[in-house]
Amino acid sequence: MAPERGGAETGSGGSEEAGKWSAGEVVERVNRYLLYGGRENYLHLCRYLLCLQEERQEEDCPLPQELPFEGMYFPEDGAGGKVCACWEEYAKELTARGEADVLSLPRAGLISHRSSWISDDLSVEAALSEEFRKRGIYLVCAFHSGAPDPAMKNHSLQELMDCFFRSAGLPVIGALVNLSVWGAVSQEGSDLFEETARLYREWNLPVFYPLVSLFSTEEMLAASREPLAAELPWLYLQPEMQGMTEPVLIACRDGKGRTQVLPGRAGHFAGRAARWMRMRGKRNGDKKVALILTMPSVPAWKLRSGRLTAWTPREHGRYSEASEGGRLSDR
């Protein structure tokens, strides 16, 4: 394949007819297919490369489809559905769909990564939307690219919150479900985690981070002693350092690598989130605080191996192990 053909001389001393493509045009067009992504763009990219190889007319190759990098969407529509640019447009779309009544319900927001939307892998978002709705809460869904870029009109985390989940300066949601570890842009003298936690405090909303395993299938989760150990940094540590809560495992991967919602887990998480939202509506004087002291359970593998683990007061909560099976040690 020789993309740059224009003006090449022929052996007879004449000039070959100007070529259809230049190298720069080819690179730019290929990059645009990859940049916008999605099934159709990838198929059109393959078709375009075949056109180059076979020197067919460029008109045979559809141009890259410019898909949004962020927006508000409806999980039931899938990747090809309506995408709204702001809360006001989203509210109008609800009215046009005959669902204006949901605007009177308590609302929670959800942010997921664009990769889930562009690949139409929205089983978690759809399941959460359904479970929240069962509890009288409407879930407002949005996606982002994770890369703020003014030139491409990609918002920062703060700008996205203002655009999607605020109206006239006031929040239109009572809680936020964040399915991606996306932080605020760090300021001088602070790191990403501190800045994101500060931003969440300013919102004065509970921010939830339900867990979606990136690698494990349901069978792997059931068979492993420590099924999420390899994913500890981004499933537990980073969200906690950013100020998010409720690390409830709700989904894993199926045999093809797509998201699979674990039975009953989306409902369990939605119930906990709903209780958080109800508690925020109570006066502080009506709230109760429960202090729970619990003894850690003994792992089954330690029982089988004859090694028991016990908590002893003299060690101030440390664990001690007995070398003799069946006998607890207080050393």
Side-chain angles (χ1 to χ4, degrees):
M1 180 175 66
E4 194 160 5
R5 298 169 50 207
E9 293 186 359
T10 64
S12 60
S15 63
E16 185 180 351
E17 183 181 354
K20 295 185 289 293
W21 299 287
S22 70
E25 291 171 346
V26 169
V27 171
E28 180 183 1
R29 186 161 171 177
V30 168
N31 284 341
R32 289 177 64 207
Y33 283 120
L34 297 174
L35 175 66
Y36 291 111
R39 182 176 182 273
E40 294 300 318
N41 275 329
Y42 292 143
L43 289 175
H44 294 164
L45 170 60
C46 294
R47 188 173 177 180
Y48 177 58
L49 294 177
L50 285 174
C51 284
L52 290 175
Q53 181 68 31
E54 299 173 2
E55 298 188 354
R56 288 190 279 117
Q57 292 296 320
E58 187 176 0
E59 288 74 15
D60 295 338
C61 313
L63 292 171
Q65 183 181 3
E66 297 186 359
L67 301 173
F69 290 102
E70 60 185 30
M72 307 176 73
Y73 68 100
F74 302 87
E76 62 272 18
D77 290 356
K82 172 75 173 180
V83 176
C84 301
C86 63
W87 165 252
E88 288 74 18
E89 183 181 339
Y90 186 88
K92 289 180 180 178
E93 178 64 20
L94 281 173
T95 302
R97 292 171 178 239
E99 298 184 64
D101 57 314
V102 303
L103 294 173
S104 62
L105 295 176
R107 293 182 293 270
L110 180 145
I111 299 177
S112 53
H113 196 272
R114 182 179 185 263
S115 59
S116 298
W117 176 80
I118 200 72
S119 61
D120 201 15
D121 189 6
L122 299 172
S123 59
V124 168
E125 291 83 347
L128 289 177
S129 180
E130 179 181 353
E131 293 296 339
F132 271 83
R133 192 71 172 269
K134 289 178 182 178
R135 292 157 177 81
I137 301 170
Y138 185 75
L139 195 62
V140 182
C141 296
F143 66 86
H144 71 96
S145 67
D149 187 342
M152 301 184 69
K153 299 182 180 179
N154 291 348
H155 294 91
S156 66
L157 183 58
Q158 176 64 65
E159 292 168 339
L160 185 144
M161 181 69 181
D162 292 339
C163 183
F164 293 163
F165 302 125
R166 288 182 185 272
S167 180
L170 299 175
V172 297
I173 58 174
L176 179 66
V177 180
N178 193 349
L179 292 179
S180 62
V181 184
W182 182 32
V185 178
S186 59
Q187 304 295 325
E188 184 177 356
S190 67
D191 60 26
L192 179 144
F193 302 108
E194 294 174 348
E195 193 63 26
T196 304
R198 182 195 62 78
L199 188 59
Y200 289 160
R201 287 195 300 270
E202 287 183 356
W203 292 353
N204 193 28
L205 296 172
V207 181
F208 307 126
Y209 186 75
L211 307 185
V212 178
S213 175
L214 299 180
F215 308 118
S216 299
T217 63
E218 188 173 0
E219 293 74 17
M220 292 168 63
L221 291 173
S224 176
R225 293 175 180 171
E226 298 178 336
L228 299 177
E231 302 180 70
L232 184 66
W234 56 85
L235 288 186
Y236 290 98
L237 300 183
Q238 292 185 37
E240 183 175 347
M241 292 175 68
Q242 291 180 351
M244 293 186 275
T245 189
E246 290 298 330
V248 176
L249 179 64
I250 61 173
C252 57
R253 299 292 156 180
D254 63 14
K256 297 182 179 180
R258 292 177 68 82
T259 307
Q260 175 184 328
V261 180
L262 293 167
R265 302 303 295 171
H268 174 68
F269 168 78
R272 295 182 64 88
R275 289 192 289 273
W276 269 92
M277 294 179 68
R278 286 198 301 270
M279 183 177 67
R280 285 174 53 82
K282 292 184 177 182
R283 296 186 304 110
N284 287 339
D286 295 332
K287 297 176 183 178
K288 298 179 181 179
V289 177
L291 300 178
I292 302 175
L293 300 178
T294 179
M295 287 287 290
S297 59
V298 179
W301 68 271
K302 289 198 173 185
L303 290 175
R304 289 195 299 268
S305 64
R307 297 175 65 84
L308 292 179
T309 300
W311 176 85
T312 57
R314 71 178 62 181
E315 292 185 302
H316 305 289
R318 295 180 182 177
Y319 294 101
S320 60
E321 294 186 350
S323 58
E324 300 177 10
R327 183 167 63 85
L328 296 179
S329 169
D330 63 353
R331 64 177 185 274

